């Protein structure tokens, strides 16, 4: 089957990730509403078949996206497109999947972002967000593919700068100033986007993403904790400890 040639508009994001899994499992991680909720969205409805529309729910922000699926082939391809993207341009996201040796190579191309320099923060935040999300996908598929995710996300407004965030996010010494004792600061660095980092959680089957992003003119910081507990094991609500950590972080940014 030949992929339809589609036109990308505006700026586009191109990312690639290698995953120790099968092409079918990687495709299902996008196309199945339960699977995509195990690494990306809070909830999803619908099915990722061509001609259908999925709904992606981001509950923390009270945000819902309708996702028209225009092409979908198990183990190979997942494409969504719409006429009205976030910047008013046609929106297109192409996921291609291929087996390469003992791994799966997954490529993401996401376009429809305005060239306006005033949109740079939003665009760069989306680039960072995809890097962080694909890291979560890799961790889940490689380590806990049969488990369901428990997800806690807490965000706060805070006027950050990249230089200051690097000191507080990207070094163990910086993280120890505010993450401990509620979160370990010594987790393995799994992803570093320049403004956000994703760390393993020593002693827990999960990860924590240390976030920084903009929504319009407002700047935010946050903590996104994901665990994949064994079946039958209770998942602990982490919001209290995430809030305590942010209570310590925000004054350091001012």
């Amino acid at each position: 089957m030949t992929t339809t040639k589609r036109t990308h508009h505006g700026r586009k994001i191109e990312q690639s990730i290698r995953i120790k899994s099968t092409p079918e499992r990687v495709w299902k991680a996008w196309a199945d509403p339960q699977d995509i909720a195990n690494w990306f969205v809070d909830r999803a409805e619908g099915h990722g078949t061509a001609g259908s529309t999925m709904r992606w729910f981001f509950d923390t922000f009270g945000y819902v996206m309708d996702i028209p699926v225009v092409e979908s082939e198990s183990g190979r391809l997942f494409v969504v497109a719409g006429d009205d993207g976030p910047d008013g341009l046609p929106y297109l996201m192409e996921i291609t999947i291929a087996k390469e040796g003992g791994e799966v190579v997954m490529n993401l191309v996401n376009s429809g972002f305005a060239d306006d320099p005033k949109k740079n923060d939003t665009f760069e935040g989306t680039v960072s967000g995809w890097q962080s999300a694909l890291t979560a996908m890799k961790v889940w598929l490689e380590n806990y593919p049969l488990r369901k995710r428990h997800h806690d996300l807490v965000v706060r407004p805070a006027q950050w700068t990249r230089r200051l965030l690097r000191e507080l996010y990207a070094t163990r010494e910086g993280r120890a100033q505010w993450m401990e004792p509620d979160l370990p600061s010594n987790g393995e660095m799994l992803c570093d986007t320049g403004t956000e980092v994703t760390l393993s959680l020593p002693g827990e089957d999960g990860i924590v993403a240390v976030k920084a992003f903009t929504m319009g003119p407002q700047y935010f910081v946050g903590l996104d904790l994901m665990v994949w507990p064994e079946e039958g094991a209770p998942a602990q609500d982490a919001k209290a400890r995430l809030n305590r950590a942010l209570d310590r972080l925000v004054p350091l940014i001012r």
Side-chain angles (χ1 to χ4, degrees):
M1 178 178 177
T2 302
T3 305
T4 302
K5 181 67 174 177
R6 299 186 182 278
T7 302
H8 287 275
H9 298 268
R11 284 190 280 189
K12 63 182 179 181
I13 299 165
E14 298 183 76
Q15 295 189 9
S16 181
I17 192 166
R18 304 181 76 91
I19 304 172
K20 293 183 174 112
S21 185
T22 67
E24 292 73 23
R25 285 291 295 149
V26 174
W27 173 83
K28 191 170 176 282
W30 289 96
D32 184 276
Q34 179 56 60
D35 275 14
I36 197 170
N38 281 327
W39 65 274
F40 184 38
V41 301
D42 291 302
R43 295 179 290 120
E45 295 176 352
H47 293 280
T49 54
S52 66
T53 297
M54 297 184 75
R55 301 197 85 198
W56 291 354
F57 295 82
F58 301 88
D59 292 336
T60 299
F61 302 103
Y63 186 55
V64 182
M65 291 180 66
D66 287 328
I67 306 295
V69 181
V70 295
E71 289 187 70
S72 185
E73 182 181 341
S74 178
R76 182 179 172 272
L77 182 69
F78 186 76
V79 181
V80 303
D83 293 330
D84 189 12
D87 294 335
L89 296 172
Y91 176 89
L92 176 60
M93 184 178 74
E94 298 176 310
I95 305 295
T96 55
I97 302 160
K99 188 76 171 176
E100 190 172 294
E103 297 180 313
V104 173
V105 177
M106 192 202 78
N107 296 302
L108 176 149
V109 182
N110 184 195
S111 62
F113 302 97
D115 293 317
D116 186 347
K118 294 179 181 178
K119 299 280 190 175
N120 283 349
D121 283 343
T122 301
F123 177 75
E124 291 169 6
T126 305
V127 173
S128 178
W130 273 129
Q131 286 181 266
S132 182
L134 296 185
T135 298
M137 173 195 249
K138 178 180 173 72
V139 170
W140 173 59
L141 283 173
E142 291 189 347
N143 298 282
Y144 318 110
L146 301 180
R147 301 186 192 180
K148 294 183 179 180
R149 179 182 68 158
H150 178 81
H151 178 219
D152 289 302
L153 171 63
V154 174
V155 299
R156 299 277 183 86
Q159 193 70 29
W160 47 266
T161 65
R162 290 175 179 266
R163 180 194 61 79
L164 184 52
L165 286 187
R166 291 299 296 170
E167 297 174 6
L168 295 169
Y169 279 20
T171 68
R172 181 176 177 182
E173 293 76 17
R175 294 191 299 269
Q177 295 181 56
W178 60 276
M179 291 181 73
E180 297 179 355
D182 293 290
L183 294 165
S185 62
N186 63 337
E188 178 187 357
M189 183 83 74
L190 304 175
C191 176
D192 181 355
T193 74
T195 53
E196 302 179 322
V197 300
T198 301
L199 307 166
S200 66
L201 279 172
E204 298 185 59
D205 292 342
I207 58 177
V208 60
V210 183
K211 310 291 288 180
F213 58 94
T214 63
M215 294 181 68
Q218 182 67 65
Y219 283 63
F220 292 88
V221 293
L223 286 165
D224 191 356
L225 189 144
M226 308 179 196
V227 295
W228 293 274
E230 293 183 357
E231 185 175 358
Q236 301 298 318
D237 191 324
K239 286 188 175 64
R241 57 181 171 140
L242 299 183
N243 274 306
R244 288 194 295 267
L246 290 184
D247 285 343
R248 293 187 291 269
L249 172 64
V250 171
L252 297 176
I253 298 174
R254 290 175 182 156

